C-alpha cells in the first residue's frame, strides 16, 4: 500500500522513463480488462498483454488474479486470508464473528473508503455488478458454502451476503438512524443471529412464529 | 400514471402554450428542490414557487409532499397505503407479509424499474441518499416503529430495512445465484423469520447459539 502510495506521488511529478510505472500500468490495465470482460473471463495473460508486460511480472507483483483484482479495486481485505480465520473455530459462533469483523472493517473510515466506492460502482454500473458478482462468488461465497456443508449451502451464503450488503447500505451509505450510530456491540447482537440462522439454521421451511411474536391485531 | 404518460407524449410533440405543462413543470421543480434541500426541508410552497404556480395547484395534483415525492420519483408503491394493509392483521406473521409483498413488487419487471433507479441514485449520490433517508424515515420507518410498539422500535425498523435493501441488492441488482433465481416462496421462507425477529423478537442481547447451530470445529 505504501509502495503504491509512493508510486503515485512519483507519478504526479511526471512519469519517469523506463519501467518505474510498470506496477501502475498493470493496475490500470487490470481495471480496463476486468471491466470489459468481467472477473471470470479476464486472464492474467490478457492483462499483462494490455499493460505491455510479461505475465510473470504481473504474478511477481500481485500473486494471482484475485490478488490483482483486490489491488486494482484497492480492497483492504483479502477474502482468502480472512475467511479461514473466521471459519477456524468452526460454525458455532460464526455469525457473531462474521458480523463483528464486517462492522470493524466498515467502522474504520480508512478501510471503509474503497468499500464505499465499490458498493457505489456495483449499484451504478452493470459491468461492475458482473465483475463483483464473479469475484465474490469465486473468492467468498463458494468457499463459505463449502465450509457450511449443509443443504442449500450456496443459498445460505448469498443470504448472508444480502444481510451484510444491506447493513452496509443502511448504516454506512444512506446512514439511517438509529442503525447508523448504533454501537458495534448493538449491531452484532441484532444481526449475528440472522447470519447464524442463514449459516446453520432452517432456511427452507416457513416455521411458525416464535413465542414472542404474538399477534396484537 | 396514464395521465403522466399522455402528458409526456404531448410534450415530445412540442410544448403547447398556456398551463398544459403545469403538472410536468411541478414534477421537474420538485426533483430540483428535493435534491437541493432534501425531503425534509423542501416545502410544497417552495416547489410551487420554483414551478411558478400556486401551492393550491400542487396540492390539487399531488395531495401532499409525500405524494409529490412519489410522483417525482415515479415510485409505484404508496407507503401510506400499503403499510396499514400489511399491519392490519397485527404483528403476528408481519415478517412473512412484508417479505412476500416486497418480493412481489421487485419480481414485477415494470414495478422494479423505478426502484432500481432509486437504489442506484441513492448509492451513487449523497444528496439522493439524504433525500431518500428523510422520505423513508417519515413515511415508512416512523409509522412502522410506532406500530411495533416495543423497546428499540426505531432500531428494529431500520434492521428490517437493512435486510430488505440487501435482498434487493443481491437478488435484483448484483443478481447473485442462487438467490437471484430462487422462487418467491423460497425467499419468503428464508427471509421472513429474519424480519419477524427484527420486528418482535430479541434484538438487544446476543443469545447463545440455537440448538441446530452446533460447532463443527
Amino acid at each position: 500500500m505504501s509502495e503504491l502510495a509512493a508510486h503515485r506521488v512519483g507519478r504526479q511529478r511526471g512519469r519517469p522513463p523506463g519501467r518505474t510505472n510498470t506496477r501502475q500500468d498493470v493496475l490500470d490495465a487490470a481495471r480496463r480488462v476486468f471491466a470489459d470482460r468481467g472477473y471470470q473471463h479476464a486472464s492474467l495473460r490478457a492483462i499483462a498483454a494490455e499493460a505491455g508486460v510479461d505475465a510473470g511480472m504481473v504474478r511477481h507483483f500481485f500473486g494471482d488474479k484475485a490478488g490483482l483484482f483486490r489491488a486494482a479495486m484497492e480492497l483492504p481485505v483479502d477474502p482468502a486470508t480472512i475467511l479461514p480465520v473466521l471459519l477456524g473455530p468452526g460454525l458455532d459462533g460464526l455469525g457473531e464473528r462474521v458480523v463483528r469483523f464486517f462492522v470493524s472493517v466498515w467502522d474504520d473510515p480508512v478501510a471503509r473508503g474503497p468499500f464505499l466506492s465499490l458498493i457505489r460502482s456495483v449499484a451504478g454500473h452493470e459491468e461492475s455488478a458482473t465483475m463483483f458478482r464473479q469475484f465474490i462468488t469465486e473468492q467468498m461465497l463458494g468457499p463459505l458454502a463449502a465450509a457450511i456443508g449443509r443443504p442449500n449451502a450456496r443459498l445460505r451464503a448469498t443470504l448472508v451476503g444480502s444481510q451484510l450488503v444491506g447493513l452496509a447500505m443502511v448504516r454506512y451509505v444512506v446512514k439511517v438512524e438509529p442503525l447508523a450510530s448504533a454501537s458495534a456491540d448493538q449491531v452484532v447482537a441484532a444481526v449475528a443471529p440472522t447470519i447464524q440462522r442463514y449459516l446453520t439454521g432452517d432456511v427452507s421451511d416457513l416455521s411458525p412464529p416464535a413465542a414472542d411474536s404474538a399477534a396484537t391485531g
Side-chain angles (χ1 to χ4, degrees), chain A residues 93-102 188-189 191-193 195-196 199:
Chain A
L94 179 56
E96 181 176 350
R97 292 195 298 280
V98 165
V99 178
R100 201 169 283 287
F101 173 74
F102 187 83
V188 170
V191 177
I195 303 299
Q196 189 67 42
L199 290 167

Side-chain angles (χ1 to χ4, degrees), chain A residues 98 102 119 132 136 140-141 144 154-168 195 198-199:
Chain A
V98 165
F102 187 83
I119 214 167
F132 179 69
I136 205 78
M140 294 224 67
L141 300 178
L144 178 59
R154 283 265 174 180
L155 180 64
R156 291 172 184 277
T158 54
L159 288 165
V160 168
S162 77
Q163 176 58 88
L164 295 179
V165 167
L167 179 61
I195 303 299
Y198 288 156
L199 290 167

Side-chain angles (χ1 to χ4, degrees), chain A residues 61-134:
Chain A
F61 277 131
F62 303 102
D64 57 7
K65 186 165 75 169
L68 177 55
F69 183 84
R70 283 200 319 279
M73 302 296 137
E74 305 184 31
L75 298 184
V77 172
D78 176 5
T81 305
I82 193 62
L83 205 53
V85 174
L86 294 173
L87 286 166
L91 295 181
D92 195 18
L94 179 56
E96 181 176 350
R97 292 195 298 280
V98 165
V99 178
R100 201 169 283 287
F101 173 74
F102 187 83
V103 170
S104 75
V105 171
W106 277 87
D107 276 356
D108 175 352
V110 174
R112 181 162 66 230
F115 283 112
L116 273 176
S117 301
L118 182 68
I119 214 167
R120 293 196 158 119
S121 173
V122 163
H125 306 284
E126 193 74 42
E127 62 274 27
S128 294
T130 301
M131 189 169 74
F132 179 69
R133 179 177 67 243
Q134 293 169 347

Side-chain angles (χ1 to χ4, degrees), chain A residues 208-217:
Chain A
D212 61 351
S213 62
T216 62

Side-chain angles (χ1 to χ4, degrees), chain A residues 3 12-13 22 33 35 43 49 63-64 71 96 104 110 116 123-124 135 139 152-153 156 158 176 194 212:
Chain A
E3 186 188 342
Q12 285 169 349
R13 290 173 188 160
T22 302
V33 174
S43 67
D64 57 7
E96 181 176 350
S104 75
V110 174
L116 273 176
F135 174 76
Q139 292 287 308
N152 304 308
R156 291 172 184 277
T158 54
V176 186
T194 298
D212 61 351

